[in-house]
Amino acid sequence: MDINATLIGQSIAMAVFVWFTLKFVWPPINAAIEERQKKIADGLAHTDRAEKDLQIAQDKAKDILREAKDQGAAIIKQAQKREGKLIEEATIKANEERDHILAQARAEVEAEKSRLREDLRKQVAALAVAGAERILQREIDDAAHSDILEKLVQEL
């Protein structure tokens, strides 16, 4: 019976150990395991939320970048149109200034031509008067004098 008593004692000790472990040791271990599982689950949920937030942020960044590119393209297009208008305005202004300068130059040339013609006429008239005086000094014939003056007037 000693072996049976030992076995019974060991069984009782084992039952007490199992009961003690289940009553006092296992609940804190089980609570720690459950808490750890909860933390892991919360971490995974947080990771999922973070991934979703990251995807939303990346999509938003892409939208903002696309919008910025569109705005940049619109600004460049507007600047190119403005450049074309400025070039056209400058060309028109330069052409108007050129035409104005040419008109002034033509007017000045015409005025100078008129002045030179008038000076030439005055010189011719002075030469004609000088020639007439010489003729008159040599001849006092009125008929010859009138004939020469009429020819001079026709030539002028």
Side-chain angles (χ1 to χ4, degrees):
M1 274 249 218
D2 271 336
I3 293 186
N4 282 340
T6 307
L7 284 175
I8 292 175
Q10 285 178 349
S11 295
I12 291 174
M14 184 63 105
V16 170
F17 177 75
V18 169
W19 175 82
F20 180 79
T21 302
L22 288 176
K23 181 78 175 172
F24 296 105
V25 175
W26 188 250
I29 291 174
N30 197 24
I33 289 172
E34 287 176 359
E35 183 180 338
R36 180 71 179 148
Q37 286 176 341
K38 185 178 184 259
K39 284 182 181 180
I40 290 171
D42 289 344
L44 290 174
H46 181 69
T47 301
D48 289 341
R49 281 193 307 269
E51 286 177 357
K52 288 178 184 176
D53 291 345
L54 177 62
Q55 186 62 39
I56 290 170
Q58 286 175 340
D59 291 344
K60 188 174 182 179
K62 286 178 184 177
D63 291 341
I64 291 172
L65 183 61
R66 188 177 309 114
E67 184 178 322
K69 284 180 180 180
D70 291 344
Q71 286 179 348
I75 289 171
I76 289 171
K77 187 175 181 180
Q78 185 180 17
Q80 288 172 338
K81 283 182 181 179
R82 180 69 179 143
E83 175 190 28
K85 285 182 182 179
L86 288 175
I87 290 172
E88 184 179 338
E89 288 172 2
T91 302
I92 290 170
K93 188 175 180 179
N95 286 337
E96 288 173 355
E97 184 69 21
R98 181 200 65 208
D99 292 344
H100 177 70
I101 290 170
L102 285 174
Q104 275 185 325
R106 286 183 183 125
E108 288 176 11
V109 167
E110 286 298 318
E112 186 65 20
K113 281 171 58 176
S114 295
R115 187 187 64 77
L116 289 174
R117 283 186 185 140
E118 188 60 34
D119 286 347
L120 186 60
R121 283 188 188 134
K122 287 180 183 179
Q123 289 175 0
V124 169
L127 286 174
V129 170
E133 284 179 357
R134 287 185 186 166
I135 292 172
L136 285 176
Q137 288 174 355
R138 288 189 181 172
E139 298 180 14
I140 303 195
D141 183 11
D142 285 336
H145 178 64
S146 292
D147 186 40
I148 292 172
L149 284 179
E150 282 180 25
K151 286 181 183 176
L152 285 175
V153 169
Q154 287 176 0
E155 288 178 12
L156 293 176

